[in-house]
Amino acid sequence: MLIRPSIAFCASISLSLSIFCGNARASDNLGVLGSKPKWDVLENYQETITHDEFAHLINDVYCTHGFANDLIKIDNDSAQILTNREPRKIFTLHFASDTNSKARVPRLWRPAKSLPPPKANKPLAGLRIALDPGHLGGKWAKMEERWFKVGESKPVTEGDMTLRVSRMVATRLRKLGATVLFVRNSTDPVTPKRPDDFKELARKILIKNGVPMPRTDVLDPKDPEKEQTIRWQSQILFYRYSEIRRRAVLVNSKLHPDLVVCLHFNAEPWGDPGSPTLTDINHLHLLVNGSYQEEELDFDDERFEMIRRVLGRAYDEELPIADTIATSMAKATGLPAYQYPTTLITTKVGTSGYVYARNLLATRLYRCPVVYCEPYVMNSNDVFARVQAGDYDGTKEVNGVQRKSIFGEYADGVTEGLRDYYSKARGL
Ligand SMILES: [Zn+2]
């Protein structure tokens, strides 16, 4: 039960949510550090969506693994959505009778088609793009287990690499006219909380999950039972749940972007970070929000956040953006599409073959289109050599092939995708 799932390395967030379902409040069934849902807000979305659009998004994107009968009931004119099990409460969403009679969708972000026409060489003019470099850097990388080192080589730390790529992407996007915002622009966390703030919650979660007397400390990094310690759990509550929820507050209440691009590097399991396993496997995929598991839908806050996302219609915009970036990144990197070893948590969507729907904290909570990039296996022989080569101008021979720097290649791939999408969508 307390095994940390790591099916897709960077994105192993939602599984932990469903496993560690502890929460001190008895009346609300909330996910870890979740907020009480504000169902009244959804009144603003009455008659903004037709029955067919709603049913399509629920069945083909968000609830592809099914859901308990009492959670969502779709009739011809309305949907009944369970807001609370005890006492039983329902939110009724009324559908628009047809496409022409739809009310305007209330939202702060702007789809490409609603932006004014840009100048010829500025396809991103007027657009607000937030860049979200995945994880933390510097001294936090080891705690986050986004750190490994081969012999005397430089350590590979995902959170520093994503920040580096984000800054390179920012320069490129600004040249194309975008206003670029950073969700994180230092190696430090966005959340003011620290692991010690979560000791008590960590203890409660462990007890609830069948560890009656949890140990305080991890005795050694290879300790097989480290996940059952208060130290380890309080660190996860800090760097994952608290950090990403704080980033969501920043995105939703301060940055107000039209799009968030989350930048990550992927990995295959590497074992001992001081003596990691290197592999020949290397791949690329992108994620958008969707594909909720039944047990995730059971949480009142997650169900609410999903319905809000369905009604905000971010998918209509983020899917074609993800597909376009996937195509440009596949061209830039030459990488094959990642194939998840299970279909239980993801659903392939779009046309490029590289994009999956998956329910991650960031893709669910940022209230605008979100594209989550997962290129490169950091502990592949090829990527490891390219990371060690660092950033450089032009091309250089790495592993016998002339290549751009991996950071420049990543930044160019993302930029080209955004340029292509917005140029086409804005009629350039
Ligand atoms: Zn990551």
Side-chain angles (χ1 to χ4, degrees):
M1 178 107 188
L2 286 164
I3 291 169
R4 186 172 176 212
S6 56
I7 292 166
F9 176 81
C10 287
S12 62
I13 285 165
S14 60
L15 285 179
S16 300
L17 258 176
S18 57
I19 289 169
F20 303 119
C21 52
N23 195 287
R25 296 154 79 179
S27 56
D28 303 309
N29 183 23
L30 303 181
V32 175
L33 301 182
S35 316
K36 194 177 165 68
K38 294 176 181 160
W39 290 94
D40 289 352
V41 168
L42 300 189
E43 292 295 345
N44 297 317
Y45 293 88
Q46 295 291 7
E47 297 181 39
T48 57
I49 190 167
T50 64
H51 165 277
D52 290 1
E53 289 166 334
F54 186 79
H56 159 64
L57 288 171
I58 291 292
N59 295 325
D60 304 331
V61 181
Y62 290 93
C63 302
T64 44
H65 311 290
F67 47 86
N69 286 334
D70 63 336
L71 292 185
I72 304 167
K73 188 165 171 286
I74 305 177
D75 295 328
N76 285 337
D77 306 328
S78 65
Q80 274 76 49
I81 298 146
L82 185 79
T83 60
N84 206 321
R85 217 171 230 137
E86 284 178 28
R88 187 178 160 78
K89 284 185 200 155
I90 297 286
F91 170 77
T92 300
L93 174 74
H94 300 285
F95 296 136
S97 50
D98 57 65
T99 320
N100 296 323
S101 64
K102 282 193 289 189
R104 202 184 66 83
V105 178
R107 59 188 169 204
L108 291 172
W109 61 272
R110 299 156 305 160
K113 286 201 165 66
S114 77
L115 296 166
K119 285 184 205 156
N121 57 346
K122 303 279 183 195
L124 305 184
L127 192 71
R128 293 171 67 82
I129 301 180
L131 301 176
D132 183 18
H135 310 286
L136 307 172
K139 65 176 182 180
W140 308 98
K142 263 191 185 173
M143 178 198 290
E144 223 187 335
E145 301 182 350
R146 296 302 191 268
W147 182 101
F148 72 79
K149 183 168 151 67
V150 177
E152 292 308 307
S153 63
K154 282 179 282 181
V156 177
T157 58
E158 183 184 354
D160 293 307
M161 288 157 54
T162 57
L163 181 58
R164 184 174 200 169
V165 172
S166 295
R167 287 172 175 165
M168 294 167 75
V169 171
T171 307
R172 287 158 169 77
L173 298 184
R174 285 184 181 123
K175 281 189 187 146
L176 297 174
T179 298
V180 180
L181 312 150
F182 280 89
V183 181
R184 167 173 79 86
N185 197 6
S186 87
T187 57
D188 288 328
V190 173
T191 177
K193 303 277 189 192
R194 291 297 178 264
D196 279 356
D197 295 320
F198 299 107
K199 276 182 175 170
E200 194 44 38
L201 179 58
R203 198 178 66 82
K204 282 183 183 159
I205 288 174
L206 284 164
I207 292 171
K208 194 167 177 175
N209 283 276
V211 185
M213 291 175 61
R215 278 193 285 139
T216 305
D217 254 319
V218 181
L219 299 176
D220 110 52
K222 290 175 198 163
D223 182 350
E225 291 186 347
K226 67 180 175 185
E227 294 166 21
Q228 301 184 18
T229 62
I230 291 170
R231 167 88 60 205
W232 197 86
Q233 290 293 342
S234 59
Q235 287 175 347
I236 279 222
L237 288 166
F238 152 69
Y239 67 70
R240 186 168 298 168
Y241 297 100
S242 174
E243 174 64 13
I244 295 174
R245 288 189 182 280
R246 194 65 212 167
R247 290 189 196 191
V249 170
L250 180 65
V251 168
N252 297 332
S253 61
K254 280 205 179 141
L255 303 182
H256 299 303
D258 299 308
L259 169 70
V260 178
V261 182
C262 301
L263 299 154
H264 288 251
F265 284 79
N266 211 337
E268 293 286 333
W270 61 53
D272 179 356
S275 176
T277 306
L278 296 184
T279 171
D280 286 328
I281 299 170
N282 201 0
H283 45 66
L284 160 71
H285 76 292
L286 283 84
L287 295 159
V288 295
N289 187 248
S291 198
Y292 286 58
Q293 298 169 79
E294 270 197 59
E295 53 271 34
E296 292 168 345
L297 290 166
D298 215 46
F299 289 114
D300 297 340
D301 56 333
E302 289 205 45
R303 192 166 62 256
F304 165 75
E305 285 151 4
M306 180 195 78
I307 296 290
R308 183 175 58 190
R309 199 155 185 90
V310 169
L311 297 177
R313 314 300 286 277
Y315 181 76
D316 298 349
E317 187 82 2
E318 68 197 3
L319 179 66
I321 297 175
D323 258 337
T324 313
I325 295 177
T327 303
S328 65
M329 288 209 67
K331 199 172 152 201
T333 63
L335 292 174
Y338 178 56
Q339 306 298 332
Y340 275 83
T342 168
T343 54
L344 294 174
I345 53 164
T346 59
T347 304
K348 214 170 222 193
V349 289
T351 53
S352 65
Y354 287 86
V355 181
Y356 290 87
R358 187 170 175 190
N359 176 28
L360 302 176
L361 261 181
T363 61
R364 183 172 80 248
L365 295 180
Y366 300 168
R367 294 207 289 271
C368 63
V370 183
V371 173
Y372 195 104
C373 304
E374 283 280 15
Y376 306 113
V377 170
M378 287 183 287
N379 60 322
S380 70
N381 288 300
D382 190 44
V383 172
F384 176 72
R386 297 182 71 190
V387 170
Q388 294 301 314
D391 187 35
Y392 48 83
D393 291 329
T395 61
K396 198 167 157 178
E397 191 176 302
V398 184
N399 287 344
V401 187
Q402 285 290 328
R403 314 287 285 270
K404 284 185 191 175
S405 92
I406 194 166
F407 306 103
E409 183 181 272
Y410 191 162
D412 285 346
V414 171
T415 305
E416 278 310 302
L418 290 171
R419 182 213 297 263
D420 289 352
Y421 175 77
Y422 285 98
S423 297
K424 198 171 166 210
R426 301 175 87 180
L428 285 178

